[in-house]
Structure formats: structure tokens, C-alpha cells
Amino acid sequence: MAERRDLDHYSLNKVMEKGAQFLAGQQIRSIEETAGRVAVRTDTGTLTASFLIGCDGANSIVRRSLTNQKFYKRQTALEADVRVPDPGVYPMTFDFSRNKNGYYWIFPKAGHVNIGIYSRGPGIRPRANDLADFARHCLGNSRLEAVKGYPICTGGKTYRPGRGRILLAGDAAGTAEPLFVEGIYFALKSGQLAAKAVCRFFNEPPAVCRAYQTFLKPLQMDLRLYDMS
């Protein structure tokens, strides 16, 4: 199983091979949309474009700039790495027996096992002690490394693009599915669909939003089928 940083690095290199520029370390201060462009003001200057595709995660700054976007829901996950002699002896596992509002997981990686807890619902926070108990029971080792918690954005089944020049994709659009909270496939797919809409109707911003909404329908149907609420 791949490390996320390796996947991200691979993807970044591929898009840069196509001519994209990667500007790191710039804090977004404001986003302004006019009739003909989108201006993103950062702490080092202003970037302008005909369209902005916000794919900046569960805490999306782009989404927060669209004050009427209330579709999303935030879920919580906690993960850690555990060093074991032979990670390959542990199969990939989803354990629903320990958490009625989510599951525990085991993902074997190179040199370690990644474990975690996904908890669904308001006010439910996974705890490091619970994760250590799980590691002790399943792996015989409760020493956790690289512990981190993060939000996951669901609710994208009801996302509707507006009529302007700003589209959302991935977790910013709530496209993680709410059962297993798998998000990478849906993030990549929604990004491709947003780009397809922009390329096809570049000179007609309202048509871009309509096309993106149409392209999203099969993906949003999948999200509805995953929704157990």
C-alpha cells in the first residue's frame, strides 16, 4: 500500500510535467470574483484566472469564500504508525465491531502498519488511548508514532455549483463517501470533471457550472448509495 506523501509527490510531478506552476507557502488573504475573472490575494501578491477550482481540503478557504455553501459535513479520523517486524503478515482490515459509529483500520505499509479510527457523527472524537488499546490487541505493540487527527468532508451528494467562476472539487466539495470515508478516488474524479467542464465551456461561465453539475450526477449518486443516515 502506498504512502500518501509518495502519491502526492507523484501526482504533483505529473501535473508539473504538463506545465502547471506550483506556488508553495502562500497564505490566501481573500478571494474576489468579478464578471470576468477570479482574483486570489495572497501575502505575496495577487493571482488572477478565468476560473478557480477549489480543491483545498476539508477546511477549504475557497469554500468559505462562497458564503452560501452549506452542504458539507465534517467527520473525524485519527491515525498512527506502529513499527512491527513483518507488516505483510497483517491483512488490510476494517473492524466495525469496536465502534458503532465508524470503524478501526489496519493498513500494512513498508516497515510499519498504519492504524486508525474513523468516527462518524456530531461530537464524536476518536481518542489516542483507544488507538493504543487497538494496537496492543491486534499488533502486540501499543507504541504509536506519527499520530495525527484530521477532518474529512462529506455531504457532497447535495453540492451544487453556483453560476459564477468558482467550482469546488474533492473534500472542498464534500466528496468523501460517508461509509468508509474514502476520498481520493472521488477527489480525483471530481477534479477531472471540473476541468472537463471548464475546458468545454470556457467562454460561457454559466454553462461551465451547468455542465459540471451534470457531470457530477453519477458521482453524487454513488455518494448517496454510501450514505447510511
Side-chain angles (χ1 to χ4, degrees):
M1 303 187 74
E3 293 282 352
R4 177 60 186 270
R5 64 175 179 268
D6 295 334
L7 174 63
D8 289 349
H9 187 251
Y10 172 85
S11 302
L12 176 61
N13 285 337
K14 284 296 182 181
V15 77
M16 290 177 69
E17 287 175 9
K18 296 295 184 179
Q21 290 181 287
F22 176 58
L23 305 177
Q26 297 195 30
Q27 180 66 41
I28 294 176
R29 300 302 181 186
S30 66
I31 299 173
E32 179 183 358
E33 182 180 3
T34 65
R37 65 172 189 166
V38 180
V40 180
R41 292 183 174 83
T42 74
D43 51 5
T44 61
T46 300
L47 307 172
T48 60
S50 297
F51 292 90
L52 172 63
I53 300 175
C55 45
D56 51 335
N59 296 316
S60 172
I61 296 173
V62 178
R63 185 182 63 229
R64 293 202 299 268
S65 75
L66 304 173
T67 57
N68 63 335
Q69 301 293 314
K70 302 297 184 183
F71 59 88
Y72 59 92
K73 301 176 182 177
R74 284 169 48 131
Q75 316 295 344
T76 305
L78 180 70
E79 69 173 358
D81 295 336
V82 180
R83 299 288 170 181
V84 294
D86 186 2
V89 304
Y90 299 97
M92 182 176 70
T93 300
F94 296 91
D95 185 345
F96 289 87
S97 69
R98 294 171 171 266
N99 187 347
K100 67 178 182 180
N101 292 309
Y103 64 89
Y104 287 61
W105 75 75
I106 297 175
F107 295 159
K109 302 289 184 76
H112 68 274
V113 171
N114 175 262
I115 64 172
I117 309 172
Y118 160 54
S119 292
R120 177 181 180 182
I124 300 174
R125 298 284 181 180
R127 302 180 306 169
N129 287 343
D130 295 332
L131 198 56
D133 289 343
F134 179 65
R136 185 182 302 107
H137 175 76
C138 295
L139 308 174
N141 179 7
S142 61
R143 184 176 179 181
L144 306 180
E145 301 178 10
V147 181
K148 56 181 177 290
Y150 48 87
I152 301 169
C153 200
T154 63
K157 65 180 182 180
T158 59
Y159 166 60
R160 299 289 183 271
R163 301 186 60 180
R165 296 176 175 270
I166 301 176
L167 307 176
L168 300 177
D171 264 28
T175 60
E177 52 87 356
L179 181 58
F180 290 96
V181 290
E182 197 287 311
I184 293 178
Y185 166 80
F186 294 99
L188 292 173
K189 188 66 177 179
S190 60
Q192 291 171 343
L193 296 175
K196 178 181 176 181
V198 170
C199 290
R200 185 170 295 184
F201 298 100
F202 186 82
N203 295 318
E204 305 174 66
V208 168
C209 293
R210 291 195 298 270
Y212 186 37
Q213 181 63 66
T214 299
F215 297 159
L216 280 174
K217 285 182 179 179
L219 184 149
Q220 290 180 319
M221 177 57 70
D222 281 347
L223 296 179
R224 290 187 179 91
L225 294 173
Y226 277 109
D227 195 345
M228 304 297 290
S229 60

